[in-house]
Every structure is written in C-alpha cells, then in structure tokens.
C-alpha cells in the first residue's frame, strides 16, 4: 500500500501564504493522479487541485489564480502553494493519491492538516 504524510498546515492571516506538502511512500507504482481535497465543518469534501501523470493540472474555480499544485517525482511528493488566502479557505486539507494498474484501482488519503485563515 501507499502511505501519505501531510505537513504545512497552520494559522495565517487573510492575504497570506502557506505551502502544504504530502510525501508518499510504500508500494508506489502506476500513480494516475495526486491531489488535494478540503472539508470545512458542515460542508462537503471538495476537490481543490489535482495533478496528473502527464503533468496537467485542474483547480477548483474558487482557488484558480491563487493556488498552485506541483510535484517532485523523485521525492514522490505533492505540494499545494496557497497564496492570497481568504477566510473561506479555512478547512482541513487532505492529500489524495489515485493508483491505477490493470484491475487495481485504489485511493489513498493523508491524515489531514488544518488550515485556518483569520480575517
């Protein structure tokens, strides 16, 4: 299996920046995508950003132009650079890895890291 360890969450003022990191380890092969989801209290979990094997990316409309997802393949690590943070960005952020190989379809999740943006 794949294990994901997240770091980088914290408290930041509105307009500030934060970088989240997620390091994958274990039986890593055939990774189709890596991404970040977030969930605020009482809200649905939503996709924030994803990066695919061909290095294309996808972002939620609410974060376009402010967040940047990237990865370091040598380190099996995905990052989320968050700029111009807003209070509505406050949520628990979860790293996600999708593995696809033949009949294998697996999702792996990080433990979650709290991001709090103050006014």
């Amino acid at each position: 299996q794949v294990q994901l360890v997240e770091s980088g969450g914290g408290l930041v003022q509105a307009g500030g920046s934060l970088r989240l990191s997620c390091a994958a380890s274990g039986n890593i092969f055939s990774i189709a995508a890596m991404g970040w989801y977030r969930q605020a209290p009482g809200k649905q979990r939503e996709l924030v950003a994803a990066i695919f094997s061909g290095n294309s990316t996808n972002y939620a409309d609410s974060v376009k132009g402010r967040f940047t997802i990237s990865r370091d393949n040598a380190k099996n690590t995905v990052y989320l650079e968050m700029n111009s943070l807003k209070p509505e960005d406050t949520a628990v952020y979860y790293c996600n890895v999708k593995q696809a190989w033949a009949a294998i379809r697996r999702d792996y999740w990080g433990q979650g890291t709290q991001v709090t943006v103050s006014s």
Side-chain angles (χ1 to χ4, degrees):
Q1 292 192 357
V2 174
Q3 295 80 45
L4 306 178
V5 179
E6 301 180 28
S7 62
L11 175 65
V12 65
Q13 294 183 14
S17 299
L18 210 59
R19 190 181 78 160
L20 306 183
S21 299
C22 175
S25 63
N27 192 19
I28 302 171
F29 66 95
S30 298
I31 301 300
M34 304 181 76
W36 293 92
Y37 292 74
R38 68 185 181 187
Q39 188 167 24
K43 305 295 183 181
Q44 294 182 0
R45 184 185 63 194
E46 64 174 345
L47 175 67
V48 177
I51 186 165
F52 304 94
S53 60
N55 220 38
S56 61
T57 57
N58 188 45
Y59 296 92
D61 288 342
S62 60
V63 307
K64 286 181 179 177
R66 300 189 297 119
F67 291 11
T68 302
I69 188 170
S70 62
R71 67 185 179 193
D72 185 334
N73 290 332
K75 297 180 179 179
N76 291 312
T77 300
V78 62
Y79 306 93
L80 185 67
E81 182 71 32
M82 303 183 292
N83 300 310
S84 301
L85 282 162
K86 304 174 180 179
E88 50 262 45
D89 294 318
T90 296
V92 177
Y93 285 70
Y94 297 93
C95 179
N96 171 258
V97 168
K98 297 186 184 297
Q99 186 179 53
W101 177 79
I104 297 174
R105 300 291 185 275
R106 293 172 179 164
D107 269 299
Y108 300 94
W109 294 91
Q111 78 278 11
T113 185
Q114 177 71 47
V115 172
T116 302
V117 184
S118 62
S119 300

